[in-house]
Amino acid sequence: MFNPDPSDKSVNTKLPKDVIMMIEKNNLVMAIKTLSADENISMDEAKSRIDAYETQLKVKQQQKLNTIASKQGIPNGAISFDREQEEDEPGPLVKNRVKTTKKNQGFKGLQDGVDNQLNDLGYKKSLLPYWLKRLLVIALLMIGMFWILWRVFG
């Protein structure tokens, strides 16, 4: 192909395999550095090419998901990369209130679910936990040994 301006380098839209592997492993900084060093272009140009590749990859994945969802009868809106995770907007600060985080709420939900499942099975919790019973047995054995040694050598 004839290029009238020899100083203008033709843009190679295809990325090298090693850069593609870095992008798929989400190692974007190294991919940008490698691409700019391999093709002798600026970091900004390398970043724009990698961003374009990422968006193209996400579009392909979304199309595949949509075809699979349509085959299975799932509405297209149910599966999307564009949706952000639902986050609570921080409200005004209240001095005497502690707000639980999603991590704590998730663990609390897990605990509640396990407790409900055990209640459905008819499981009754013991009065003393197993570890406390074991500590009591060890303490009683130590007291008994101490008393015996006291009587023998005392």
Side-chain angles (χ1 to χ4, degrees):
M1 181 165 125
F2 177 70
N3 190 359
D5 187 10
S7 65
D8 184 29
K9 296 181 180 176
S10 63
V11 176
N12 185 9
T13 57
K14 188 159 174 93
L15 295 175
K17 287 185 179 181
D18 57 341
V19 174
I20 291 174
M21 286 175 35
M22 288 180 207
I23 293 170
E24 289 173 354
K25 291 182 180 179
N26 220 9
N27 193 353
L28 299 177
V29 175
M30 198 64 196
I32 292 171
K33 287 181 180 180
T34 305
L35 183 62
S36 65
D38 288 349
E39 297 188 3
N40 201 14
I41 58 176
S42 71
M43 295 273 199
D44 292 333
E45 292 176 35
K47 182 183 181 309
S48 64
R49 283 185 53 193
I50 289 175
D51 287 343
Y53 177 78
E54 277 187 311
T55 56
Q56 179 185 8
L57 187 65
K58 284 185 179 181
V59 166
K60 284 181 184 178
Q61 288 176 346
Q62 185 64 40
Q63 288 173 349
K64 286 180 184 178
L65 282 176
N66 286 342
T67 57
I68 292 170
S70 64
K71 287 180 183 177
Q72 294 181 352
I74 301 171
N76 288 342
I79 302 174
S80 176
F81 285 119
D82 297 335
R83 291 186 306 166
E84 301 260 335
Q85 295 292 329
E86 296 175 8
E87 296 181 9
D88 293 336
E89 292 183 14
L93 294 177
V94 179
K95 188 174 184 178
N96 294 329
R97 186 182 78 171
V98 176
K99 187 173 183 180
T100 59
T101 61
K102 283 199 177 275
K103 181 178 180 182
N104 292 342
Q105 290 172 350
F107 182 71
K108 183 66 174 166
L110 180 64
Q111 262 184 331
D112 292 341
V114 169
D115 288 342
N116 290 339
Q117 190 74 21
L118 291 175
N119 288 340
D120 291 343
L121 293 173
Y123 178 77
K124 300 290 183 193
K125 288 185 177 180
S126 60
L127 189 58
L128 294 175
Y130 182 75
W131 60 270
L132 188 59
K133 290 178 187 175
R134 181 169 282 189
L135 284 177
L136 286 175
V137 168
I138 291 171
L140 287 174
L141 285 174
M142 288 177 67
I143 290 171
M145 294 284 287
F146 180 75
W147 183 76
I148 290 172
L149 290 173
W150 181 270
R151 299 291 282 171
V152 170
F153 297 111

